Amino acid sequence: MLKTETPSPRHTELDQYSVLDLVAAFVDDQFQAVQAVRDAAPRIAAAIAMAVPRVEAGGRLIYVGAGTSGRLGVLDSVELYPTFSWPTERAQALLAGGMGAMFQAVEGAEDDREQGGRDLLALAPTPNDVVFLLAASGGTPYVLGALHAARGAGALTIGIANNDHAPVALQAEVGITLDTGVEVISGSTRLKAGTSQKIVLNTISSALMVRLHKVYGNLMVDLKPTNAKLVRRAVRLTMHATGADEAAARRTLEQCRFHVKVAIVALLRQATVEQAETLLEQAKGSVRAALAL
């Protein structure tokens, strides 16, 4: 039996727990998710190293999964635009059963291996694309179909599973096994198995964005200010990075359509917005390198 399906020997009387004990059982079990990701760090680092040159060459990030795993992939993909100005067309997500399955389960969709392959091929994958294949069990047919289609197209495949010897990890170019063990509620991989997958996706996509110069120091300087909160954040980030007062930061941001990178370089180099944009282009988007030119 898969570890993720095996009943926990620690919580055989779970339905008899007090509310406080229930909270403790669920929360304490989540620490194993963090440890599982720590244990997989070398494989996660290998995935990032292999993905960087592909996305630098124009590749996309493509997420494939079913159920909870698929929804986590959708979540990671849609958050990249407001956080890092990553183009939406370069972050695609495939969910077994279609996007409607984000809100309501589509019975049997995850068992359709051929549909997984068709959906992946419909995106016209290229060797520069990076495809994340997510399956807690590690054997979801829809995901395996997409995996084989991606490999056939030469894309980088990163398989993420929560069971040892899982096909999705073994058959991908980079396999990441997150050994989270048994769940408090047997088989409910929306618990710590899902948590571990969320951590891994956050880690990989964020690390890629750092390598693509969308972070200066530890500041998210390539965000897309699509609402009032993000506009205020852009002002604060610019002030923090440059020491400018709010008026100067906002004035410069308004001149460059609230592109934090440009505002930082303009203020620190005492340059015009146009000059700052040129410096950033020469530095391939790196604020640090632009400041050194």
Side-chain angles (χ1 to χ4, degrees):
M1 185 181 292
L2 297 175
K3 282 186 180 179
T4 51
E5 301 291 333
T6 303
S8 171
R10 296 180 54 212
H11 301 289
T12 58
E13 304 294 330
L14 186 70
D15 60 340
Q16 301 296 310
Y17 284 10
S18 69
V19 173
L20 186 58
D21 287 340
L22 276 173
V23 171
F26 287 122
V27 173
D28 291 349
D29 203 52
Q30 292 288 336
F31 286 102
Q32 293 184 44
V34 178
Q35 188 57 52
V37 177
R38 283 184 180 275
D39 292 342
R43 301 299 295 162
I44 297 169
I48 294 166
M50 294 179 70
V52 167
R54 288 170 168 83
V55 292
E56 285 181 332
R60 297 170 295 175
L61 302 178
I62 300 173
Y63 303 75
V64 184
T68 296
S69 297
R71 295 180 187 103
L72 289 170
V74 173
L75 181 62
D76 202 68
S77 72
V78 300
E79 289 180 339
L80 294 178
Y81 175 73
T83 308
F84 299 111
S85 295
W86 187 250
T88 54
E89 64 273 15
R90 293 183 66 190
Q92 301 287 320
L94 296 176
L95 180 59
M99 283 301 111
M102 190 73 184
F103 306 100
Q104 185 172 348
V106 177
E107 299 300 330
E110 69 176 54
D111 298 326
D112 194 338
R113 183 186 180 106
E114 289 72 23
Q115 189 63 49
R118 287 193 294 269
D119 287 351
L120 195 286
L121 291 176
L123 296 179
T126 74
N128 283 332
D129 290 333
V130 178
V131 184
F132 300 99
L133 294 310
L134 300 147
S137 69
T140 305
Y142 178 88
V143 177
L144 291 174
L147 166 59
H148 291 154
R151 291 214 68 166
L156 173 63
T157 52
I158 301 172
I160 302 172
N162 292 87
N163 285 287
D164 293 330
H165 311 298
V168 73
L170 293 175
Q171 296 171 24
E173 194 167 349
V174 182
I176 299 173
T177 299
L178 305 170
D179 187 5
T180 45
V182 301
E183 296 283 2
V184 173
I185 298 176
S186 59
S188 182
T189 52
R190 62 182 288 271
L191 299 175
K192 67 174 178 286
T195 299
S196 68
Q197 291 181 6
K198 178 74 165 75
I199 296 172
V200 168
L201 291 176
N202 277 171
T203 299
I204 293 176
S205 61
S206 297
L208 286 174
M209 296 302 128
V210 172
R211 285 288 177 262
L212 293 172
H213 309 304
K214 292 179 175 293
V215 174
Y216 172 53
N218 66 345
L219 306 178
M220 48 185 290
V221 295
D222 215 2
L223 77 162
K224 186 67 66 175
T226 54
N227 56 44
K229 178 190 72 175
L230 292 178
V231 167
R232 292 192 297 270
R233 183 177 296 167
V235 174
R236 289 196 302 271
L237 288 167
T238 303
M239 293 170 63
H240 183 84
T242 65
D245 60 27
E246 182 175 353
R250 185 175 290 274
R251 182 169 58 251
T252 306
L253 283 165
E254 288 172 348
Q255 293 171 2
C256 62
R257 301 174 301 283
F258 278 82
H259 193 171
V260 176
K261 275 187 177 184
V262 176
I264 290 173
V265 174
L267 286 164
L268 290 180
R269 288 292 300 266
Q270 296 184 331
T272 65
V273 163
E274 291 74 19
Q275 290 170 331
E277 289 173 338
T278 299
L279 288 169
L280 280 165
E281 184 176 353
Q282 293 172 349
K284 297 181 179 180
S286 169
V287 171
R288 196 174 296 278
L291 293 174
L293 289 174

